[in-house]
Amino acid sequence: MKELLKTLDLSVGYDGTAVAGPFDFPIYKGEVLTLIGPNGAGKTTLLKTLARQLAPVAGTVLLDEEDLNVTKPLELAKRMAVVFSDALRPEQMTCREAVAVGRYPYTGRFGRLSEEDERIIDEVMEQVHVTELQDRPFTAISDGQRQRVVLARALCQQPEIILLDEPTTFLDIRWKAEFLEALKDLSETQNKTVLMTLHEPELARLVSDRVACIREGRLDRLGSPGEVFEGRYIAHLFGLDETLYDKWFLSLFFCAAGYFSTEVLFVGVSFSYQEGYKEKSPDRSLGSQLPAFPSNCGVRLADCRDGAFFFSNYQKILETMGPL
């Protein structure tokens, strides 16, 4: 697999003072790599340094074996898109105008959109399902819709790599799942590289090809979800008492021992089931068995990644199961 980005003895921080590092790891083309760890560990600072919003305190970031800091801004804008919470403030823009911002690296000094630019805007808005929002003010839509509009803006840049800082913050279960599915689809169908931070380790397990765990300013563990979520490592990473971890979080990491608890916490929503195993995980490394759900759910198992899963219609589960 081709290395797209690479950190070499990289220390990150502010005003010349390092708060995290040194980091030495590659980021591969077409993968979803997620940074997780406690608040204050240095995840966002690292991400902003990789996005060239902060200068390295020490070390180097390579983009295709060339120093990221010498890449011309216009060239970088065509190769890398950034989705940060403070990156776009289109108070007076419609959603289409906000998406069109992503074409400006290609429009020349006058910023005029060509027919080709308009075609790309149309395609991207359709791809992330925001076409129906195009004439609405950006400030008048929901948080979940805003995230999709901002993602569309990033895709209009036609980048190789997309960097996102906590993109699921403030989103409900539906928007979390749909947004992360969109990112995974970009990786799998368009070979886009996705690098993001997440506060929810259970979502990182679902969507990631690899997970990087940042603890006390250091890279504590890096590997596939199966490697990272082995045993009670997450309790160690977040400094959780093991009793508390078992009570609240153990059921998030599905199939690790080939069984499920009868109460499962899925993206922050609890539900119960009593069914046994019927379906094996398709071509995944853990090869664990998955449960069948009550027939009146109307839900099919849509995907499985390292023993975790997405549902094609999770809302039907919630409606069928009801509150605990």
Side-chain angles (χ1 to χ4, degrees):
M1 189 177 292
K2 179 184 177 183
E3 293 180 358
L4 185 59
L5 277 176
K6 189 173 185 178
T7 65
L8 297 175
D9 201 28
L10 179 69
S11 293
V12 301
Y14 303 88
D15 301 321
T17 301
V19 299
F23 297 103
D24 289 276
F25 64 92
I27 301 164
Y28 298 111
K29 185 171 180 61
E31 77 167 336
V32 177
L33 175 61
T34 304
L35 308 178
I36 65 171
N39 290 336
K43 302 183 300 297
T44 296
T45 307
L46 173 59
L47 196 69
K48 287 186 174 182
T49 304
L50 295 174
R52 217 170 71 175
Q53 294 189 359
L54 292 173
V57 173
T60 307
V61 180
L62 298 181
L63 176 61
D64 270 346
E65 301 300 329
E66 295 185 2
D67 190 337
L68 181 68
N69 282 333
V70 303
T71 305
K72 294 180 180 180
L74 189 62
E75 177 65 22
L76 185 61
K78 293 178 180 180
R79 301 193 65 185
M80 178 185 293
V82 177
V83 181
F84 289 174
S85 58
D86 57 353
L88 186 64
R89 299 181 181 277
E91 284 84 357
Q92 304 300 321
M93 290 184 178
T94 66
C95 291
R96 184 180 183 86
E97 290 168 339
V99 172
V101 170
R103 292 306 300 162
Y104 289 147
Y106 301 90
T107 56
R109 67 178 63 184
F110 298 110
R112 293 175 180 171
L113 297 171
S114 66
E115 289 185 6
E116 176 67 8
D117 293 322
E118 296 287 1
R119 182 190 65 78
I120 292 171
I121 293 167
D122 288 339
E123 287 184 356
V124 168
M125 294 189 76
E126 180 70 23
Q127 178 184 349
V128 297
H129 308 296
V130 292
T131 301
E132 69 278 7
L133 304 175
Q134 62 182 339
D135 296 323
R136 295 180 61 183
F138 182 82
T139 54
I141 60 177
S142 71
D143 288 335
Q145 291 169 329
R146 287 185 189 184
Q147 287 290 67
R148 288 194 293 167
V149 169
V150 174
L151 178 60
R153 187 268 302 171
L155 293 179
C156 270
Q157 294 176 228
Q158 297 180 306
E160 295 176 71
I161 181 169
I162 305 172
L163 278 60
L164 308 98
D165 187 29
E166 301 175 11
T168 59
T169 301
F170 307 122
L171 302 186
D172 65 22
I173 180 175
R174 173 186 176 185
W175 294 119
K176 285 177 192 282
E178 291 192 358
F179 189 83
L180 293 178
E181 277 285 89
L183 293 179
K184 190 66 179 176
D185 183 67
L186 289 171
S187 166
E188 293 178 345
T189 64
Q190 299 184 31
N191 208 29
K192 303 289 187 186
T193 300
V194 177
L195 175 62
M196 63 181 161
T197 64
L198 285 177
H199 272 310
E200 305 97 332
E202 71 276 14
L203 298 184
R205 176 163 190 163
L206 287 167
V207 75
S208 306
D209 296 302
R210 290 191 303 155
V211 178
C213 304
I214 312 298
R215 182 173 182 265
E216 297 179 353
R218 297 289 188 271
L219 182 61
D220 199 58
R221 184 175 288 194
L222 173 64
S224 69
E227 294 167 336
V228 166
F229 291 94
E230 182 180 9
R232 286 180 169 79
Y233 170 73
I234 295 300
H236 160 77
L237 176 65
F238 287 93
L240 280 170
D241 175 86
E242 288 196 1
T243 302
L244 185 65
Y245 170 80
D246 288 350
K247 178 179 180 181
W248 290 101
F249 296 100
L250 185 60
S251 59
L252 290 172
F253 309 118
F254 307 131
C255 289
Y259 66 90
F260 281 57
S261 66
T262 56
E263 290 187 1
V264 177
L265 189 66
F266 175 65
V267 198
V269 178
S270 295
F271 56 89
S272 299
Y273 66 87
Q274 300 296 331
E275 295 284 333
Y277 302 116
K278 291 184 181 179
E279 186 173 356
K280 290 184 179 294
S281 58
D283 301 321
R284 300 296 180 179
S285 59
L286 291 184
S288 347
Q289 290 184 317
L290 299 170
F293 288 86
S295 57
N296 63 335
C297 264
V299 174
R300 67 180 180 84
L301 204 54
D303 196 9
C304 173
R305 296 186 180 94
D306 283 332
F309 55 86
F310 277 134
F311 294 104
S312 60
N313 195 336
Y314 41 82
Q315 189 61 41
K316 289 185 179 179
I317 287 184
L318 305 181
E319 292 171 355
T320 302
M321 300 297 184
L324 291 178

